[in-house]
Each structure stands twice: as structure tokens, then as C-alpha cells.
Amino acid sequence: MQTLLLLALFGCLAAALAAPADKVRWCVTSDKEQEKCAALAAKAAAFSCVRRDSVLSCIVAIRAAEADAITLDGGDVYTAGLINYNLQPIIAEDYGPTSDTCYYAVAVVKKGSQFVMRDLQGKKSCHTGLGKSAGWNIPIGTLVSMGLIQWDGIEDKPVEEAVSNFFSSSCVPGAASGSKLCQLCRGDCSKSHNEPYYDYGGAFQCLKDDAGQVAFVKHLTVPESEKANYELLCKDNTRAPIDSYKSCHLARAPAHAVVSRKNAQLAELIWNSLSAVQGFDLFSSEAFAPAKNLMFKDSTAKLVKLPANIDSFLYLGAGYASIIRSLKKEPTGSASSSIKWCAVGHAETSKCDAWSINSMTDTTTAVECQTAPTVDDCLKMIMRKEADAMAVDGGQVYTAGKCGLVPAMVEQYDAAQCSSPGASASSYYAVAVVKKSSGLTWDALKGKRSCHTGVGRTAGWNVPMGQIHKQTGDCDFTKFFSSGCAPGSEPSSPFCAQCAGSGTAVGDEFKCKASAEEQYYGYAGALRCLIADSGDVAFVKHSTILENSDVNQDDYQLICPGKNPVPVTDYLSCHLAAVPAHAVVTRPESRNEVVRVLQTQQALFRAPDASFSLFKSEAGKNLLFKDSTKCLQEVEVGTSYDRFLGTEYMTAMNSLRQCGLTTPDLEKSCTFHSCQEQN
């Protein structure tokens, strides 16, 4: 009986946590914020107010369903998204034409003070709050990366101690009371409005009062009437006027965002309730002066609803998350300096496990394996630091780049180039293959069935569909092809109709999935689709059919716009585009470690007589790397994804992205605002 009562109690609790109430309970952290919230609740019955002492207490309250929403700075959005709180951003502030859903983190000083960035040591500093974006994460991360603040990581000492040693004294609301970081504060040094020098207005007031000599704030903090008296410190050791923030800033930061529990109904209730507010200015704190930025930043022009599948890490982007992690100096792998490789599906995981076992020396392994159902899921894991790297096709390099990841190594398909240090990166040709007996030409493709390596893949989707979009101007490719197999499509799409799945007779969960379990996935899969007569044309790379010993090459031809069909060996004269080789992507701060481990690993496992072969696949094709790979070559440090992909391919991708329907959800989440990309 007791067990039944407990089960019933837990059931009620779960239901209470799941179902949104009829009111939005806004969490506030100060008396002034409570006043503004109460004024809002008086005007809009949809709101009520919950008071807590700090942002973290509010995060805990929302997690426990004692409150529903709060607007947070990027650093706090990061904290709220950690696994123990599991909150998500649902609405972003938009600051109008000057910055949209981003803002600039700047260092403000009084005009006439003579120092520049490299002279900051020994000065007095004003910060918005510990762990906040413009006031702490970005400036301290920047000073550490520039080598101005000497810090060897948390194993050495906390970053707060390194900052204490750098500045003579500071006000960092939220720091340990009684420390040098609280010395300049006027109140209790808490990360709340109880501290007069808290937040943007407070940090600026700290500078204005001559308590500090530099204030780390956002670009819109200095009032218009006072701009003439202040200047910005630039990273190149110059100064600039306050309005020159676009060329003189520390970094761009993601806008503040409203966070809540992961609950679609609750998110909808919060958005609808805020949208319906009338007769009350959400973005003004004038009535509650001298307090500023109560509930929302006063500089907010409007609110923007975020995509439903976004989370904290996608919202902030890998670049900003890297800044936060650099302040924690977390190791890039495990203590044994291993890297975590992300494998997609069972076949890749099996090969990765074999790699991991073979990479073991004594008690340590150089490679650990993580697994995910799709490439996009792997990219998310890399962004969240649950994995470190994977090799992806050019289209996925594009998506990864939009999410702030960087190319670290590139596959080389020409063995002669492997021993040449300055060798140019490999490329391959995207081609369209048909059966010779079909008599098909490029101009006769409309209405036929198509076989693709996968949605968003370079040779199998981006290049051919980019060509077709250029021809037709129509983004609905189901009007062009009657059906096909493009793994990764919506299950109900005609582009799943011809897929084979894993071969299970009933309830095949792998049908049309972008993983090796789908028999028609990847280069070999798309060709298999054509051979099995499940499609009339296969979009693959030029070597796919040349490397397949099971088919008679004379039975197939290549087709391309404005030409008659040619033999499959004649790809130089008839291809859709020359495209970049597959590349290993990782987080910016993990790049060097990933390169180091891979260089060691390929030296061990590239030889034909090695116990394990990195570039051969036993239980399938092109697992982890393309089987045609001869070696991996380092991508030059600092190479961005767009530079790696090249102008021609970027033009094709940007054109195809006009067709929003084919843009992966991950990429949509990562490009919601421009400062998600790596600064």
C-alpha cells in the first residue's frame, strides 16, 4: 500500500513538473526587480513573481518547478544548461540594428588616462559580475589568451587568484567576500542589485566614481551624453572612441536569453504571455531608478523566439563555450591525453572500438569511442565536449563551421602527397552516374528517381541539388525527382521511398536514417541503390564506381549539364564540381591535441601490415574515414571552415541555403544569430 501511495505521489509530482501553470512565475533577484515584476503582474494577470537571492538560486528554483523563467547573461545561460540544471534558452533579446541578437564586450576607460591594453597589470578593474560574459568570461579569457594574465590552469590555482594577482584591486560581484576582487565594491559584493557596482550600469558607475580605472561592459553601456569623456581599449594596444566598438572590442557575445525548463507547452505560454503584454514597457527600468536592466536589458528593442530544438550550447556556440572552458582550463581529453572519437551507428562504433583497443599502451588508450545516431548528433557532442573529433564531408564541415567548430586535419587521397610537407589538400569530383542502358542525359532527369549519399552531403546532395536549384529556381526538389533515397530526409518524404533500411522485414527503424545501418547511405550505398534499380541516377564521388570491383564499369556512364554521357573514367571532362576532401573537425581549443594524437595514430596504423588499419573498413565501407584515404594532413592553424571549403563551394552552399527546407536543424540553431560562430 505504501509503495502504491509513493508511486501516486511521484506521479502527481511528475505531472506537476510537466504541466505548465496558468501563470508565468518570473524569478527576480533584488527589491527593485521585485518592484518592476509586481508592476508587470498588476498590468498582466499572466505573470506572478518569485524572489530569490541570486541568479543561481533562480536557476535552481526553475529546475525544481518553483519558478518558470528568468533572463540570463551568456555565462549564466551556460551554467543553466549544465546537466545538473538542464534548462534551455527559449527567447533572445534583440538590441536593434546596432547588434541584433549579439552585443560587443568592450573595455571602457576615462579619456586622458594614458594606459593601453598591455598596461592593464596593476590597474583597478570594474566587472559586471563573476562568470558574466562582457564583465568576466570574455575580458579575462582574452587577457589569459593574450598572455597578459599568467595562469597555468586550475591545477595551479583558481583563475580568480590569477586575476587578483594581475589587478591591484577590483569589484567583481559574486567573488569571495573579503577578497581583493571585492575590495572596490560599495555594497555586499553579491551578484545581485544589492551591490551598487553590479551589472553593466554598476560596473560603469564604478569607473565613473574613480573606484576603478577600467570597466568591462557591453558596447551600449556608456550613456550618449557621456561618450565624449570615455574611450575603448583595443586588443592592438590602441584606443578608440566609444562608438568604434565594431572595430575595437574584445569579442561579440550572445544576447541575454530567457531560460526555462525543457517543456514545449511552458515555452509557448511564456512567449505568448510576453507577446500579449500591453500598457507596460518591459524594456525600461526608468520608473525604478537608479536601478537598470531589471528583468530585461534596457537596450532591448524586441524579443525573438528561439528555435524549439535549441539548447544552451547551440545558442552560445562553440566559440563562446571555448572561452568559458579556457577559464576553467579543462583538459581536452582524459587525464591520459586521449581524444574521444565520435562514431555514427553500429558498424562505425565497432571499427572505433577496434581502433581504441589497438591504440592502448600499458594501461592508457589514445582513442576513446563515443557513439551517436547521426553526424549532427556527433557534432553536438563535440560542441558539448562529450566527444572531441570526427571526420566529416564538406557539407558537414560547413554545418560544423557554422556551429563554431574548426577543421584540424584533412584526408589526402594521393599517396605521393603524403610525404610532401607543403602538399595541396586533396579534392574529389562530384559526379552523376546512370546505367548506360537507360539512355538518360542530364536534361532528361526530371521525373526520375534519385540515389543520394545523404541529405547535406557534398557530392550526394549539396552539389547536384545546387545545380538543379540554379536551373529551376525551385526549392521543392520533390517536384523535380519523383522519388528517391536521400538518407536523413523526413520519413514521409518521397526521398525516403526508395531507401532499403537495414534489411529488417518489419518495423525497420533504420530506413532512411543517415547512418551505415541504412544500406543506401554513403557513397557505396547510393551506388548500391542505382545497381539495385531503386533509382535512375546516383550522385557520388568520381572514384566510387572506379573502386567498386563488383560492377562492370562499361555498364555505367557519367552525365552532366550540356554534354552527352561519357565513360565513368572520363570524370575530368564531365563532373558537377570539384569539391574539398573530408576533414576532421573539433573545438577550437582542442585542435592541437587532436592533431597530435592523429599524427601518432596514423604513423602506427597506416602501414599495410599493421595490426589495425585506420583507413580500411572490414564491416562496411568508408567507416570513420574514407577507404581511399592514404594519410591525414594537418590543416594550417587558424584556417576557418569557409577558407578551407573555398570560394566555389561556399558560393554553392550559400545558394543552396536559400532553400531553408534542406538546412539541417542543427545549422539553423547554430546560425540563429551571427555571434554564435567563432569570433
Side-chain angles (χ1 to χ4, degrees):
M1 185 67 186
Q2 257 188 326
T3 310
L4 285 173
L5 279 170
L6 277 172
L7 285 171
L9 183 63
F10 281 126
C12 292
L13 182 61
L17 288 174
D22 54 347
K23 278 184 185 284
V24 175
R25 296 165 298 172
W26 206 272
C27 200
V28 297
T29 60
S30 70
D31 293 340
K32 286 290 184 185
E33 213 164 40
Q34 174 92 37
E35 276 181 49
K36 180 174 176 179
C37 184
L40 168 64
K43 288 275 188 186
F47 292 92
S48 66
C49 311
V50 173
R51 173 70 194 271
R52 291 291 184 272
D53 292 335
S54 67
V55 164
L56 188 59
S57 302
C58 276
I59 290 171
V60 170
I62 295 168
R63 175 78 182 98
E66 294 163 3
D68 299 315
I70 185 174
T71 310
L72 298 179
D73 149 278
D76 294 323
V77 169
Y78 180 89
T79 302
L82 294 173
I83 203 159
N84 40 334
Y85 306 120
N86 206 28
L87 304 185
Q88 74 174 138
I90 56 170
I91 297 164
E93 294 181 344
D94 184 313
Y95 309 121
T98 59
S99 53
D100 306 314
T101 52
C102 302
Y103 60 92
Y104 295 86
V106 294
V108 178
V109 292
K110 284 192 172 175
K111 197 179 270 187
S113 56
Q114 297 299 308
F115 58 90
V116 293
M117 188 79 77
R118 65 167 169 248
D119 306 321
L120 278 178
Q121 185 160 7
K123 300 291 184 288
K124 297 181 291 181
S125 60
C126 307
H127 306 255
T128 59
L130 188 69
K132 289 176 82 68
S133 298
W136 182 265
N137 294 340
I138 289 173
I140 303 309
T142 301
L143 293 171
V144 167
S145 67
M146 289 173 75
L148 293 174
I149 292 182
Q150 301 299 316
W151 184 53
D152 294 326
I154 46 177
E155 313 82 32
D156 174 37
K157 59 191 167 199
V159 70
E160 291 92 329
E161 192 181 321
V163 176
S164 289
N165 295 339
F166 182 76
F167 294 113
S168 63
S169 54
S170 307
C171 177
V172 186
S177 186
S179 73
K180 269 175 76 181
L181 296 182
C182 285
Q183 210 168 306
L184 301 180
C185 292
R186 257 178 51 198
D188 59 3
C189 194
S190 68
K191 201 172 163 183
S192 77
H193 292 286
N194 295 332
E195 168 51 61
Y197 289 164
Y198 169 64
D199 208 2
Y200 301 108
F204 177 62
Q205 192 63 45
C206 164
L207 173 66
K208 197 174 166 181
D209 291 349
D210 279 328
Q213 295 161 285
V214 58
F216 298 109
V217 291
K218 68 180 170 78
H219 69 289
L220 297 171
T221 303
V222 182
E224 192 66 43
S225 59
E226 299 183 52
K227 284 180 179 176
N229 304 321
Y230 295 90
E231 288 180 316
L232 302 176
L233 295 184
C234 311
K235 286 197 282 190
D236 64 358
N237 294 311
T238 60
R239 287 185 170 214
I242 292 295
D243 285 332
S244 297
Y245 53 82
K246 286 190 178 175
S247 59
C248 176
H249 58 265
L250 305 178
R252 294 181 77 184
H256 288 205
V258 177
V259 302
S260 188
R261 292 181 296 288
K262 290 181 178 174
N263 180 311
Q265 278 178 286
L266 179 57
E268 201 60 27
L269 173 70
I270 294 166
W271 171 253
N272 291 338
S273 301
L274 287 168
S275 303
V277 170
Q278 290 183 330
F280 185 86
D281 190 347
L282 288 171
F283 315 131
S284 172
S285 305
E286 266 186 57
F288 312 96
K292 292 185 176 181
N293 303 310
L294 302 175
M295 297 180 68
F296 298 94
K297 274 163 69 175
D298 297 340
S299 53
T300 307
K302 62 178 179 179
L303 297 175
V304 181
K305 193 177 189 181
L306 295 173
N309 62 342
I310 209 162
D311 64 19
S312 299
F313 296 89
L314 294 179
Y315 179 71
L316 297 170
Y320 182 77
S322 288
I323 287 174
I324 294 179
R325 280 192 293 262
S326 74
L327 291 181
K328 299 180 187 298
K329 285 273 175 146
E330 297 168 359
T332 51
S334 66
S336 60
S337 279
S338 63
I339 59 168
K340 298 192 204 81
W341 198 265
C342 199
V344 176
H346 176 72
E348 282 208 342
T349 304
S350 298
K351 180 178 175 181
C352 188
D353 288 340
W355 181 14
S356 181
I357 290 163
N358 279 278
S359 77
M360 194 174 284
T361 53
D362 301 327
T363 55
T364 62
T365 178
V367 177
E368 296 171 14
C369 300
Q370 296 286 14
T371 186
T374 67
V375 170
D376 281 5
D377 288 318
C378 266
L379 294 178
K380 284 186 201 172
M381 288 179 77
I382 294 169
M383 290 172 71
R384 292 187 188 122
K385 220 177 173 203
E386 294 161 4
D388 294 316
M390 73 182 304
V392 294
D393 136 287
Q396 292 153 342
V397 171
Y398 183 91
T399 296
K402 291 287 186 185
C403 291
L405 303 181
V406 295
M409 297 198 87
V410 59
E411 293 179 349
Q412 173 59 261
Y413 312 124
D414 179 355
Q417 301 287 333
C418 288
S419 51
S420 152
S424 56
S426 268
S427 60
Y428 60 93
Y429 296 93
V431 296
V433 183
V434 296
K435 288 181 177 174
K436 192 184 278 186
S437 57
S438 72
L440 264 182
T441 64
W442 182 268
D443 294 335
L445 276 182
K446 190 165 182 182
K448 299 295 186 284
R449 299 164 304 153
S450 54
C451 302
H452 305 262
T453 58
V455 173
R457 297 283 297 268
T458 298
W461 185 270
N462 297 339
V463 169
M465 295 321 218
Q467 285 272 9
I468 289 163
H469 176 249
K470 213 155 78 178
Q471 276 173 223
T472 64
D474 194 338
C475 286
D476 185 356
F477 298 119
T478 62
K479 289 183 191 166
F480 191 86
F481 291 113
S482 59
S483 64
C485 179
S489 299
E490 286 293 319
S492 59
S493 162
F495 285 112
C496 281
Q498 301 297 329
C499 291
S502 62
T504 312
V506 184
D508 190 347
E509 62 178 302
F510 296 110
K511 182 167 175 162
C512 206
K513 284 281 190 297
S515 83
E517 268 68 38
E518 163 56 63
Q519 294 176 64
Y520 292 167
Y521 175 66
Y523 299 111
L527 184 60
R528 206 175 287 128
C529 164
L530 176 67
I531 293 167
D533 207 30
S534 296
D536 303 303
V537 60
F539 297 111
V540 289
K541 66 183 169 88
H542 70 280
S543 58
T544 303
I545 195 157
L546 302 176
E547 291 163 355
N548 196 316
S549 54
D550 300 339
V551 300
N552 181 357
Q553 292 176 16
D554 294 337
D555 293 341
Y556 297 87
Q557 293 179 312
L558 302 182
I559 59 172
C560 51
K563 286 195 72 165
N564 291 324
V566 303
V568 293
T569 51
D570 202 3
Y571 55 85
L572 287 176
S573 74
C574 181
H575 57 261
L576 305 181
V579 295
H582 289 205
V584 174
V585 294
T586 185
R587 295 178 304 282
E589 81 273 16
S590 304
R591 184 238 173 239
N592 294 349
E593 184 70 0
V594 167
V595 168
R596 185 190 66 75
V597 170
L598 287 177
Q599 283 174 335
T600 307
Q601 291 299 296
Q602 70 173 352
L604 292 170
F605 302 127
R606 213 172 84 198
D609 57 345
S611 58
F612 166 79
S613 182
L614 206 51
F615 307 129
K616 278 205 182 90
S617 305
E618 303 295 333
K621 290 206 179 256
N622 303 308
L623 301 176
L624 305 182
F625 302 96
K626 274 163 67 175
D627 296 339
S628 54
T629 305
K630 300 296 184 264
C631 67
L632 297 172
Q633 291 179 310
E634 186 176 351
V635 175
E636 191 185 344
V637 181
T639 302
S640 59
Y641 76 97
D642 48 353
R643 194 172 125 216
F644 172 79
L645 292 173
T647 311
E648 188 186 29
Y649 189 64
M650 284 299 294
T651 303
M653 284 301 296
N654 292 337
S655 164
L656 189 63
R657 284 302 183 257
Q658 292 168 25
C659 301
L661 288 172
T662 62
T663 305
D665 284 345
L666 172 63
E667 194 178 309
K668 285 179 187 169
S669 297
C670 286
T671 53
F672 178 76
H673 55 75
S674 57
C675 53
Q676 284 167 302
E677 292 178 42
Q678 174 67 11
N679 287 296

